[in-house]
Amino acid sequence: MKGNRVSVIGAGAFGTALALAFRQAGREVTLWGRDAEAMAALDAGRDLGALFPGASLPTGIRATADLSEAVLAGILVMAVPTQALRQVSEAVALVLPQGRAVISAAKGMEQRTGAFATEILAETLGAHRFGILSGPSFAADIARGLPTAIALAMADATDAEALARFLSSPGLRLYHTTDIRGVEIGGAAKNVLAIAAGIVAGLGLGDSARAAMITRGFAELQRFARAYGARPETLMGLSGLGDLVLTASSPQSRNYALGLALGQGRTPREAIGSGKLAEGAFTAAILAESAKARGLEMPIVDAVTAILEERLSVGDAVRHLMARPLRGE
């Protein structure tokens, strides 16, 4: 791999955690954030307490708000939310030299267009090598160096393997694949299904119901992904089943926490407005719309969408799902 520097665009919890992991891999890291004052303070004081209590930014990571500095690295990891990715990428495009590897760590579909992350990057940045990084991972675990495994997808197999080796650290293990769309769909759909899992938990319906919901939700994820040509092994891997299991079973998941609040009686407006960003809330409607356009049945995704749009109560949604005709599995 040419050079030893990687830039992380986005200094939120996940981007900062990735920067820490890449530094543990021995890389020189530039961490970019849009707030110039905050990034200057971080670079000078090195205190990460607001994100990760007791942690500090190690030597070898440069914090900056200067995009022209950040894009000097040969590898850019775009760790910004899906709904903000286009805006940030358009700014990056103004200063980005040719021949870079640009990898998105966003999970979702653009609400306005239905585009996946690599499609947004291709539209805004032009001719570069694009990839997606996704899998079962919480920022706090990565930041602490706890064992975590995720998938990296690039169009070229040799490129994917080389980048996975370059970015892997003692705590963060990257598995490589060329199934970009399969990895992207897993990351997008599991967020919506995690909201459903949280709703089941919030209603107190029990672990059996939650297990059934996750299983039937995974069937919906597979159905949708196959329509896009995703590979079965991708869906059964880290970025599909693995990420769904994690996200649909832990209150650390923002999407699960949103569903939990909905199940406990909060309105969508209250639940969304009071917590941290849950990508599934933005992805649900476009995922349901895309499925319908392809003639695919995704009743759990439809139910979550109806709840978020306040067209259906949580109780009625559960009753409708339980009243669906019995069928073969």
Side-chain angles (χ1 to χ4, degrees):
M1 187 65 58
K2 186 178 180 180
N4 193 44
R5 178 167 292 279
V6 56
S7 287
V8 178
I9 307 299
F14 198 71
T16 302
L18 287 176
L20 294 171
F22 298 154
R23 182 58 190 148
Q24 282 294 309
R27 310 306 165 206
E28 294 292 320
V29 183
T30 300
L31 177 63
W32 177 88
R34 67 172 70 243
D35 187 329
E37 185 176 344
M39 298 309 289
L42 176 58
D43 197 57
R46 322 301 286 178
D47 181 19
L48 291 175
L51 292 175
F52 308 116
S56 59
L57 202 66
T59 302
I61 299 180
R62 160 86 167 129
T64 183
D66 184 353
L67 265 181
S68 61
E69 176 184 353
V71 299
L72 295 177
I75 302 167
L76 272 66
V77 177
M78 305 290 288
V80 297
T82 303
Q83 309 311 319
L85 183 58
R86 186 177 297 274
Q87 180 183 21
V88 175
S89 295
E90 287 172 347
V92 169
L94 299 176
V95 292
L96 184 64
Q98 291 299 308
R100 296 309 194 246
V102 186
I103 302 166
S104 173
K107 298 179 180 181
M109 299 169 70
E110 190 173 39
Q111 192 175 37
R112 181 174 58 85
T113 66
F116 293 100
T118 56
E119 292 176 320
I120 297 171
L121 295 178
E123 289 173 18
T124 54
L125 298 180
H128 294 275
R129 294 136 54 217
F130 300 113
I132 186 77
L133 193 65
S134 187
S137 51
F138 288 140
D141 293 344
I142 295 175
R144 291 172 60 194
L146 297 178
T148 306
I150 56 180
L152 171 64
M154 303 286 293
D156 180 80
T158 301
D159 206 17
E161 182 177 2
L163 284 166
R165 292 183 183 278
F166 184 79
L167 296 175
S168 289
S169 72
L172 181 65
R173 183 178 178 88
L174 272 60
Y175 287 77
H176 54 88
T177 177
T178 58
D179 188 3
I180 291 176
R181 191 65 74 241
V183 171
E184 288 185 305
I185 288 173
K190 63 90 185 180
N191 282 335
V192 182
L193 299 172
I195 295 174
I199 289 172
V200 169
L203 287 169
L205 299 182
D207 290 339
S208 298
R210 186 166 59 86
M213 194 291 307
I214 292 172
T215 305
R216 295 312 306 161
F218 183 58
E220 293 187 17
L221 185 157
Q222 290 178 299
R223 198 177 303 137
F224 185 84
R226 282 197 299 266
Y228 282 84
R231 300 175 199 152
E233 62 268 27
T234 304
L235 308 180
M236 292 299 298
L238 291 166
S239 59
L241 180 60
D243 209 359
L244 175 61
V245 169
L246 178 70
T247 312
S249 61
S250 173
Q252 285 190 71
S253 160
R254 297 175 179 184
N255 295 284
Y256 182 90
L258 170 59
L260 193 66
L262 293 169
Q264 291 171 342
R266 304 189 77 172
T267 67
R269 186 170 301 181
E270 291 170 340
I272 293 170
S274 64
K276 296 180 179 179
L277 174 69
E279 283 281 10
F282 298 100
T283 301
I286 192 63
L287 183 63
E289 182 181 321
S290 298
K292 184 178 180 180
R294 288 163 177 77
L296 303 172
E297 283 194 351
M298 298 185 75
I300 294 174
V301 171
D302 289 341
V304 171
T305 302
I307 290 169
L308 291 171
E309 294 178 350
E310 300 190 59
R311 294 186 282 106
L312 200 61
S313 72
V314 166
D316 284 343
V318 172
R319 283 188 285 273
H320 287 183
L321 287 172
M322 293 302 293
R324 283 175 55 81
L326 295 175
R327 54 183 292 180
E329 188 174 38

